[in-house]
């Protein structure tokens, strides 16, 4: 996530900080925003999986599913903010 914040800072040309909060703090924040319990559980689970390295591997499955090459986070962010 530090790397993503760094990339976003460069693309957006302003500082983006990564703030680390506990799972309980994150859960409480999402619940206070009115998200359904199932969504809160899914989002919290994604961060737990990320900490365990579940998203650190790359393979061609995504490209096979979408029928094209994937794009870098930098290119995705640039495209997203230009629209």
């Amino acid at each position: 996530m530090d790397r993503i914040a760094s990339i976003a800072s460069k693309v957006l040309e302003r500082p983006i900080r990564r703030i680390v909060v506990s799972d309980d703090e994150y859960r409480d924040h999402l619940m206070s925003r009115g998200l359904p319990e199932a969504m809160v559980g899914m989002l919290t689970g994604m961060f737990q999986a990320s900490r365990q390295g579940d998203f650190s591997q790359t393979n061609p499955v995504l490209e096979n599913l979408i029928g094209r090459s994937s794009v870098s986070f930098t290119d995705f962010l640039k495209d997203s903010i230009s629209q």
Side-chain angles (χ1 to χ4, degrees), residues 27-51:
R27 176 179 289 281
D28 291 346
H29 174 75
L30 295 175
M31 294 295 290
S32 74
R33 298 290 192 155
L35 269 70
E37 180 70 31
M39 178 69 75
V40 170
M42 183 205 57
L43 291 170
T44 304
M46 286 177 52
F47 281 102
Q48 291 167 343
S50 179
R51 284 194 305 271

Side-chain angles (χ1 to χ4, degrees), residues 26-80:
Y26 185 58
R27 176 179 289 281
D28 291 346
H29 174 75
L30 295 175
M31 294 295 290
S32 74
R33 298 290 192 155
L35 269 70
E37 180 70 31
M39 178 69 75
V40 170
M42 183 205 57
L43 291 170
T44 304
M46 286 177 52
F47 281 102
Q48 291 167 343
S50 179
R51 284 194 305 271
Q52 295 170 9
D54 290 357
F55 305 121
S56 62
Q57 300 295 318
T58 59
N59 70 44
V61 171
L62 177 61
E63 292 180 5
N64 293 338
L65 284 172
I66 63 176
R68 62 173 175 77
S69 296
S70 59
V71 298
S72 70
F73 178 73
T74 302
D75 290 340
F76 170 78
L77 189 58
K78 284 178 181 177
D79 289 345
S80 295

